[in-house]
Amino acid sequence: MKVSVYAPLLSRLLAGPRPYVGTLVGLVHDDRAHVLGCLLDHVEGGTPGVGSELLDALPGGLAPLGVAGDSDGRLEELALLSTVISLLPAGAQRAVVLSVSGGEGEGEPEPTAALFLYGDGELERTEFETFGAEQLRAQTVLLRLEGALSLRCKPGCEPLAEAFDRLKRTLDSPVTCFVQPEANRLLRAQDDESAPEGSCSELAGRRSAGRAQALFKLMLQRTGLVESRPAGGAPVIEYCRGRQQLVDLTLPISCVALVAAAAPLAQAAAALSEAALRQLAQLRTVITDVYREKERVVPAEPLHFNPEECGHYVTLVYSAASDDEKLESYRRNVHAALLLAADRPLFRRANRHRFDDQSPFLTNVHVGLSAPRQTAGQTALVRGTYVYHHYMQDRMDDSGWGCAYRSLQTLASWFQRQGYTGRAPPTHREIQQCLVDIGDKPASFVGSRQWIGSTEVSYCLQHLYGVESRILHVSSGADLGSKARALLRHFNDEGTPVMIGGGVLAHTLLGVAFDEASGEASFLVLDPHYTGAENLTTIQNKGWCGWKDGQFWDQTAYYNLCMPVRPRCV
């Protein structure tokens, strides 16, 4: 069996905390194991906790493939793989063992990874390849499943358990079907014989972010199948009149699965079935835990998250009884288990991934642009998602005076999209009212067409969102290149967009490229003065978002840069 490892995962494993042991998860197809993720076990030593609840948070189709850990002198410990081997997917006869060593202290060599295959009680070292995000998207199909299940039972932990058991048996039977409306296709759970011929690549109805996707609807067949029951008696119906309490709750099903594009269609049905069963297990855990605490059934909602560092989606179920503050410790555990830094929110409700984003405005319009003119040196860009706000949006004619307002809206959208706040970007009037409320402007400022600058933008970010900013002063546009190092540090450390104002114009900076040897600098500029339609081709081709050299700026005007500092939190 050949093995390939997702490159960003390998980087996280090499830089991970010591000591650690975790479960490797991924796909197996055509005698090759593709390792996509790792779930850390927080119990030092021993067999990895593959039964942890986070395994249910992974897409259907991803399965335990082996273990990873810092194994200096502990390789035998990592070889205790009986639990993992029992859960290996079909086609994986041996478990993968990824061992990290070195790099723990000053003067130590850089950490390295060695890979072994474990089977029949023996470890065999083998070579492995790495692959990146583009290759992953090109070779897989993302399957989405939407639907609902009805939970009906008497109140109580035992009736709840029995009701969830019934739903599990239903999902794990041939009465469960997956319908793809776009292709008029039906796949049936637990029925490989009736699966149509072909590969999963045929399922792709559309592409999103470079990845093939297919949407399925969950359907339970009510007629035409006879459910197997033990023989030996006739059904008896007992009719009793009276009043009693009944739990009647609709469980939302929204799950994802990942399959190799070249895999047979039967694997798609199996992956969707696995995804539905995993989500039912999550709903059961969350709803039952809340019932034990509050003695009432509270709805719960599955939310999808897509951290850029991961090669897969993470689906978590949050109860309506728990707000983001109450879930903070749980989110920290999720960050730690997935080897993700705990300095930015990734799993708040506001971080949820929306597959069908109905926003009328464009996001991340810099993606797809050519590299800056100079190829040498360093480049640093905004990290995360922002919304491009510009003149004439929201039926607001602010041409000639609202550029800084629009830049502030773009900055605010970044904090909203990254989950730091649930508050939408402020309107022009809300910005003006904020400046009046803090005493910076007179009451007559509200409703006016007066400009604002970088300092006012920083005031609004602090007052409305609790975000602090650094103000960088530049004596002239000709001197902006001397601040390239400071901008590099900002985009590498903070990753937030920057508002720059000078003369009578304001712009948004999304990145910087700087060649230390020549001193040449280029700036990725997002221009809020655009007045056209939401057309990405026009915006990029006409330079409304693009790389600009130092001559773009007014060589004699004084500039201030508002550089927001992101809070360190989860």
Side-chain angles (χ1 to χ4, degrees):
M1 182 174 69
K2 297 181 179 179
V3 181
S4 55
V5 180
Y6 187 52
L9 170 65
L10 182 61
S11 298
R12 301 204 312 275
L13 288 170
L14 292 173
R18 309 291 182 88
Y20 69 83
V21 177
T23 303
L24 295 173
V25 295
L27 297 170
V28 174
H29 173 67
D30 198 20
D31 198 36
R32 177 179 286 273
H34 303 271
V35 180
L36 297 180
C38 182
L39 304 179
L40 286 197
D41 179 10
H42 296 288
V43 179
E44 293 189 15
T47 305
V50 295
S52 69
E53 62 182 85
L54 268 188
L55 186 59
D56 289 331
L58 301 182
L62 295 194
L65 299 180
V67 295
D70 59 311
S71 58
D72 298 330
R74 300 192 303 126
L75 203 55
E76 295 80 5
E77 181 178 298
L78 290 181
L80 300 176
L81 296 167
S82 57
T83 306
V84 176
I85 290 176
S86 68
L87 296 175
L88 289 178
Q93 292 80 22
R94 294 190 287 177
V96 176
V97 179
L98 197 152
S99 166
V100 175
S101 60
E104 290 192 69
E106 292 186 11
E108 292 289 325
E110 290 294 317
T112 59
L115 193 134
F116 302 81
L117 295 177
Y118 177 80
D120 298 326
E122 295 183 359
L123 281 168
E124 175 190 348
R125 182 161 183 168
T126 184
E127 299 298 320
F128 67 94
E129 301 174 351
T130 60
F131 61 96
E134 289 189 11
Q135 187 177 355
L136 173 63
R137 288 192 292 264
Q139 296 182 359
T140 56
V141 178
L142 181 71
L143 310 178
R144 295 170 50 203
L145 179 63
E146 302 288 338
L149 296 172
S150 182
L151 180 74
R152 291 191 177 97
C153 64
K154 294 180 180 180
C157 290
E158 187 173 340
L160 271 176
E162 293 174 353
F164 275 109
D165 285 340
R166 288 194 297 271
L167 288 176
K168 181 180 178 181
R169 288 194 296 270
T170 299
L171 284 181
D172 201 20
S173 71
V175 304
T176 299
C177 305
F178 311 112
V179 179
Q180 187 182 14
E182 292 182 355
N184 197 26
R185 180 183 284 112
L186 182 145
L187 302 177
R188 193 182 297 278
Q190 307 301 328
D191 192 2
D192 294 344
E193 295 181 0
S194 66
E197 296 182 357
S199 68
C200 292
S201 61
E202 300 173 18
L203 298 173
R206 52 182 165 174
R207 301 189 73 86
S208 177
R211 168 175 274 163
Q213 294 189 16
L215 175 63
F216 286 83
K217 298 294 183 180
L218 176 65
M219 183 179 75
L220 302 180
Q221 186 170 345
R222 299 300 187 185
T223 60
L225 288 176
V226 179
E227 186 178 352
S228 60
R229 294 187 180 92
V236 176
I237 298 176
E238 182 179 356
Y239 176 68
C240 299
R241 297 186 64 179
R243 298 174 64 88
Q244 58 180 305
Q245 288 184 318
L246 181 69
V247 173
D248 188 355
L249 182 66
T250 298
L251 302 178
I253 298 297
S254 176
C255 44
V256 295
L258 194 66
V259 292
L265 284 174
Q267 284 194 20
L272 288 169
S273 178
E274 182 178 48
L277 288 167
R278 285 179 174 178
Q279 188 155 107
L280 182 65
Q282 288 181 291
L283 287 163
R284 177 177 187 158
T285 298
V286 172
I287 291 174
T288 303
D289 287 348
V290 173
Y291 185 86
R292 290 194 181 101
E293 177 186 349
K294 299 183 177 295
E295 294 187 352
R296 61 187 176 92
V297 174
V298 179
E301 180 185 18
L303 303 175
H304 303 293
F305 303 94
N306 189 25
E308 61 178 332
E309 299 91 338
C310 291
H312 55 80
Y313 285 84
V314 179
T315 302
L316 303 177
V317 172
Y318 289 158
S319 171
S322 302
D323 57 19
D324 280 343
E325 183 177 352
K326 187 175 181 180
L327 291 167
E328 181 179 354
S329 61
Y330 173 71
R331 293 197 305 272
R332 287 190 180 277
N333 289 337
V334 175
H335 277 253
L338 294 173
L339 284 164
L340 299 172
D343 64 346
R344 66 180 66 226
L346 296 174
F347 301 107
R348 293 186 183 184
R349 285 180 169 89
N351 292 116
R352 67 188 300 177
H353 179 80
R354 291 175 171 82
F355 290 99
D356 301 309
D357 192 345
Q358 300 300 317
S359 171
F361 306 136
L362 297 173
T363 61
N364 284 29
V365 294
H366 69 286
V367 175
L369 288 172
S370 300
R373 184 165 54 86
Q374 74 263 30
T375 56
Q378 303 178 63
T379 300
L381 303 176
V382 63
R383 293 177 57 189
T385 304
Y386 61 87
V387 177
Y388 178 26
H389 288 276
H390 56 79
Y391 278 168
M392 308 300 287
Q393 287 178 337
D394 306 308
R395 300 180 181 179
M396 177 73 176
D397 183 2
D398 56 347
S399 181
W401 62 275
C403 51
Y405 293 79
R406 297 300 187 178
S407 182
L408 169 56
Q409 289 176 337
T410 296
L411 269 58
S413 75
W414 186 93
F415 285 95
Q416 181 193 29
R417 290 294 181 116
Q418 267 54 247
Y420 288 97
T421 178
R423 180 170 187 162
T427 64
H428 292 57
R429 190 175 189 87
E430 288 172 339
I431 293 169
Q432 293 174 340
Q433 186 63 55
C434 169
L435 294 172
V436 171
D437 291 343
I438 65 174
D440 183 67
K441 302 292 183 185
S444 59
F445 183 66
V446 178
S448 71
R449 299 167 70 90
Q450 295 183 36
W451 301 337
I452 61 173
S454 302
T455 304
E456 288 90 344
V457 168
S458 70
Y459 292 161
C460 290
L461 287 174
Q462 200 285 325
H463 185 71
L464 297 176
Y465 300 96
V467 172
E468 301 294 336
S469 302
R470 299 186 183 97
I471 299 295
L472 184 64
H473 306 288
V474 186
S475 58
S476 68
D479 193 40
L480 191 59
S482 67
K483 306 301 181 182
R485 293 183 185 86
L487 286 169
L488 277 174
R489 285 194 300 272
H490 171 82
F491 285 113
N492 284 327
D493 295 344
E494 308 299 335
T496 63
V498 172
M499 182 269 183
I500 177 172
V504 296
L505 299 176
H507 295 85
T508 306
L509 294 181
L510 302 177
V512 63
F514 180 60
D515 185 352
E516 189 82 38
S518 66
E520 187 177 7
S522 294
F523 307 89
L524 183 53
V525 177
L526 184 65
D527 196 334
H529 303 92
Y530 176 63
T531 59
E534 303 299 301
N535 186 302
L536 180 62
T537 301
T538 300
I539 291 167
Q540 291 188 344
N541 291 348
K542 298 296 184 180
W544 295 104
C545 180
W547 288 97
K548 314 293 183 182
D549 60 21
Q551 295 301 313
F552 174 78
W553 311 103
D554 187 329
Q555 301 297 288
T556 60
Y558 187 88
Y559 283 90
N560 283 326
L561 283 72
C562 175
M563 306 166 69
V565 178
R566 59 180 176 85
R568 268 54 177 177
C569 61
V570 297

